[in-house]
Amino acid sequence: MLKRLPGYGLGWAPNRRIIAIAVGLACLLALAAAAATFTGRGTRPHAAPPVPPPEHGSASPTGQPSSGSGPVAGPPRISDPVEFAKAAAKMLWSYDTRTTSQAQQLAGMEAWMTKEGEYGDWASVSAQIPDPVLWSRMADQKQHATATINEGHYPAAFKQALSEDPAAITKAYIYAVTVTGKQTITWAGGGGAEDRSLTLAVQCRPSADCSLVAIAPRVAP
């Protein structure tokens, strides 16, 4: 009997192109290969140069979510990469099979994606939820999950890469952000909580709201 969804939020798609997109520099391809596999807790980088934030313009300063697609909350209208990545991680780690179909969950997640097709990697994001058959089995058990976010930060290698080539970010304004938190899962007759960590690529162009680009196959410290 299925009691919880193993690894929901941890289903890394084996696609190193994600890191290349997020960083825009070849050196971070090595990061994808060398980064440790998911350990349940991210590592905050130390002594790394600051990352230039995106310019703030017409994006809403309130951080209120836009209209979502069905039961899934829409993306917040903010232009800060770390705050957006934290909101995206919370969305990815939250679900309710009692009220949401697998198709509705996918549609809600897709609303967070960048509209610039040359950068978005929908496969890495959609891989975070199970197929319709498993989702149906989860619904039979009334499985649902909520998430709390501990922190978000730019990976050390991302900071280092930008310090070496600050202009690299200005082509696509895509940032790598690692987020840690906790996911609480409840099902009929039980429940539990687990630490979560993932690295996301988010796009935050000047004078525009942020959007989700991809999820990295490894957690970058």
Side-chain angles (χ1 to χ4, degrees), residues 15 17 21 110 113-123 172 174 203 205 211-214:
N15 187 352
R17 183 174 65 85
I21 292 172
E110 192 168 13
M113 294 294 294
T114 178
K115 301 304 185 288
E116 299 182 32
E118 66 269 36
Y119 298 118
D121 191 334
W122 171 238
I174 293 175
Q203 184 177 48
R205 288 193 179 278
S211 57
L212 181 60
V213 172

Side-chain angles (χ1 to χ4, degrees), residues 30-114:
L31 171 65
T37 56
F38 175 79
T39 60
R41 188 176 301 276
T43 303
R44 185 180 296 273
H46 300 281
V51 175
E55 300 174 21
H56 290 260
S58 61
S60 169
T62 64
Q64 294 299 313
S66 62
S67 59
S69 179
V72 179
R77 301 194 62 184
I78 53 179
S79 55
D80 181 273
V82 173
E83 292 305 312
F84 182 85
K86 288 162 64 176
K90 185 173 183 178
M91 178 272 295
L92 291 168
W93 295 333
S94 304
Y95 60 91
D96 192 339
T97 64
R98 301 169 301 178
T99 59
T100 311
S101 68
Q102 194 256 12
Q104 287 174 320
Q105 190 75 16
L106 280 173
M109 292 164 57
E110 192 168 13
W112 289 65
M113 294 294 294
T114 178

